[in-house]
Amino acid sequence: MITQEHTIEPVLTPEQIQERVAALASQLDQELKGAEPILLGVLNGAFVFLSDLARKMSLPVQVDFCRLASYGTSTESCGQITLSKDCELDLRGRVVLVVEDIVDTGLTVNWLLRHLRARGPKKLKLCSFIDKPERRETQVDLDYVGFTVPRGFLVGYGLDYNQQYRNLPGVGELKFCS
Ligand code: 5GP
């Protein structure tokens, strides 16, 4: 894997993120009251967001993960989607909250929602840490959004560039040096 020379410009601080995730968690606690929701994280990017969100929620939650492959190169989507790890819990009759890292073109999450609907959940909701609307190719109904960032290739807080930077506590925009 070739890693081009680059810099990272700060976009979201760890403090901003923690404050927003806490607010989302309490909104979810209220709006999903009475349910025992399944938080279904999309690997690998959502692992940090899901773990913070789950620990800030007070509802009894269950956690599962699936993994989709949708990226042709390290920064450009090719629109080809495959499921490389399916979720394992039975979704029939359950309240399921899909937890995504970022929605960009929307192709990946719409494919996943179609796949999950066929499993018969009672309710299927979508929560994305970041909504990046500029390159949207298909309409996505986002129920919960952490932050809207108009554009740029973002890294940190689960988001990677060539598998690097997932462990940064904040989010930055990757800029290639010319
Ligand atoms: P979509 O199908 O919505 O175009 O792409 C969704 C997936 O592309 C995300 O789950 C994420 O893995 C990847 N992706 C989209 N935009 C970015 C970005 O700005 N940074 C990183 N690291 N990944 C992104």
Side-chain angles (χ1 to χ4, degrees):
M1 191 74 75
I2 300 161
T3 302
Q4 274 177 264
E5 210 179 316
H6 56 269
T7 57
I8 297 172
E9 288 182 2
V11 174
L12 300 169
T13 65
E15 294 73 25
Q16 283 173 307
I17 294 173
Q18 291 310 317
E19 198 181 313
R20 181 68 192 123
V21 175
L24 269 179
S26 74
Q27 188 184 352
L28 286 162
D29 277 340
Q30 282 174 15
E31 293 182 12
L32 304 181
K33 210 176 190 159
E36 194 175 327
I38 295 175
L39 304 189
L40 180 55
V42 185
L43 292 170
N44 291 337
F47 81 105
V48 179
F49 177 43
L50 187 144
S51 75
D52 278 350
L53 190 66
R55 284 176 298 167
K56 287 182 160 84
M57 285 176 71
S58 21
L59 288 180
V61 298
Q62 293 183 353
V63 172
D64 200 354
F65 290 97
C66 63
R67 177 183 282 121
L68 295 150
S70 67
Y71 251 36
T73 69
S74 49
T75 60
E76 285 289 318
S77 175
C78 63
Q80 289 277 325
I81 298 157
T82 56
L83 190 67
S84 58
K85 185 214 169 294
D86 209 341
C87 57
E88 288 159 39
L89 292 173
D90 184 357
L91 308 185
R92 263 175 306 176
R94 301 293 305 273
V95 174
V96 178
L97 181 74
V98 175
V99 181
E100 257 286 20
D101 52 358
I102 186 163
V103 175
D104 183 13
T105 64
L107 295 171
T108 311
V109 83
N110 270 358
W111 185 94
L112 178 64
L113 291 174
R114 271 201 307 280
H115 170 81
L116 296 173
R117 246 177 237 121
R119 303 286 179 87
K122 182 165 89 183
K123 231 187 229 177
L124 189 58
K125 296 278 180 189
L126 175 59
C127 175
S128 184
F129 171 56
I130 289 175
D131 177 18
K132 200 173 68 170
E134 193 191 34
R135 301 199 310 171
R136 194 65 38 84
E137 286 184 29
T138 171
Q139 199 207 316
V140 180
D141 296 323
L142 276 157
D143 300 291
Y144 303 95
V145 172
F147 297 91
T148 299
V149 179
R151 65 190 71 81
F153 189 80
L154 306 173
V155 295
Y157 200 70
L159 293 161
D160 77 309
Y161 170 57
N162 285 347
Q163 299 305 329
Q164 281 182 304
Y165 307 127
R166 292 193 195 275
N167 61 332
L168 294 180
V171 167
E173 182 180 349
L174 196 92
K175 296 275 190 189
F176 291 112
C177 308
S178 45

